[in-house]
């Protein structure tokens, strides 16, 4: 059985917040350039608020292996647990977000996050603008990216 056939995408429930926050914390702790070990946006309470406020989808493969949060046409975040990266789960989550969108998705990613930038570019996102990071809580230079469904303006 491949991971592709074993995974399930479901809408997140409040009870999923701690598992999603743990995936986010895992990424933060392994990312040397990230300025804070415990940002307020990575707590289970903050993730529970994202779940309440927007559309959060989790991918389950023997438990939660990743999640994507979308508010309107804004892709707020997409994270996959370390052991599941590179196996198509991020693409499955992104494909789900694209399918549920009205033909466009926007996101911000840090300039230093080359892996994410390459992933989003491969998936059809284009750079819209760059900032010095003054507008984000981390103070890190970032890039706004946009995906448009083919044929949409």
């Amino acid at each position: 059985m491949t991971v592709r056939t074993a995974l399930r995408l479901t809408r997140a429930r409040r009870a999923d917040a701690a598992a999603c926050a743990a995936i986010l914390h895992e990424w933060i702790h392994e990312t040397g350039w990230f300025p804070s070990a415990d940002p307020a946006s990575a707590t289970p309470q903050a993730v529970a608020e994202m779940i309440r406020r927007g559309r959060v989808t989790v991918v389950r493969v023997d438990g939660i292996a990743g999640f994507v949060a979308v508010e309107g046409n804004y892709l707020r975040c997409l994270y996959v647990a370390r052991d599941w990266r590179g196996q198509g789960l991020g693409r499955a989550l992104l494909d789900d977000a694209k399918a549920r969108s009205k033909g466009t998705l926007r996101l911000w990613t840090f300039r230093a996050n080359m892996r994410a930038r390459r992933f989003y570019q491969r998936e059809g996102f284009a750079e819209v603008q760059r900032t010095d990071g003054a507008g984000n809580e981390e103070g890190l230079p970032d890039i706004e990216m946009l995906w448009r469904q083919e044929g949409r303006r």
Side-chain angles (χ1 to χ4, degrees), residues 108 110-111 130-143:
W108 287 91
F110 298 114
R111 283 193 216 174
R130 291 176 175 231
T131 77
D132 63 3
N136 64 53
E137 84 178 78
E138 297 83 4
L140 294 173
D142 55 2
I143 299 172

Side-chain angles (χ1 to χ4, degrees), residues 5 9 79 91 119 143:
T5 59
L9 296 175
Y79 291 96
R91 178 175 288 147
F119 170 72
I143 299 172

Side-chain angles (χ1 to χ4, degrees), residues 13-141:
R13 301 179 310 265
R14 188 170 174 87
D16 297 330
C20 293
I23 291 169
L24 179 50
H25 267 279
E26 175 183 64
W27 180 85
I28 289 167
H29 287 281
E30 69 188 21
T31 304
W33 51 262
F34 200 80
S36 172
D38 294 305
S41 59
T43 65
Q45 295 81 8
V47 175
E49 179 60 19
M50 262 195 297
I51 291 169
R52 186 194 66 74
R53 205 174 51 234
R55 190 180 74 242
V56 178
T57 300
V58 296
V59 59
R60 298 176 192 276
V61 185
D62 298 327
I64 294 175
F67 69 102
V68 64
V70 179
E71 294 176 17
N73 75 335
Y74 174 55
L75 194 153
R76 184 174 174 88
C77 64
L78 189 159
Y79 291 96
V80 175
R82 179 187 318 114
D83 293 344
W84 293 104
R85 292 182 198 145
Q87 299 184 48
L89 277 66
R91 178 175 288 147
L93 287 164
L94 186 56
D95 286 348
D96 182 72
K98 286 177 175 179
R100 294 172 187 268
S101 76
K102 293 186 182 345
T104 63
L105 284 175
R106 293 185 172 275
L107 63 87
W108 287 91
T109 189
F110 298 114
R111 283 193 216 174
N113 195 346
M114 294 304 296
R115 184 178 182 150
R117 289 171 56 188
R118 285 189 300 269
F119 170 72
Y120 290 121
Q121 287 170 342
R122 277 192 316 270
E123 297 303 317
F125 283 78
E127 186 175 316
V128 175
Q129 68 173 318
R130 291 176 175 231
T131 77
D132 63 3
N136 64 53
E137 84 178 78
E138 297 83 4
L140 294 173

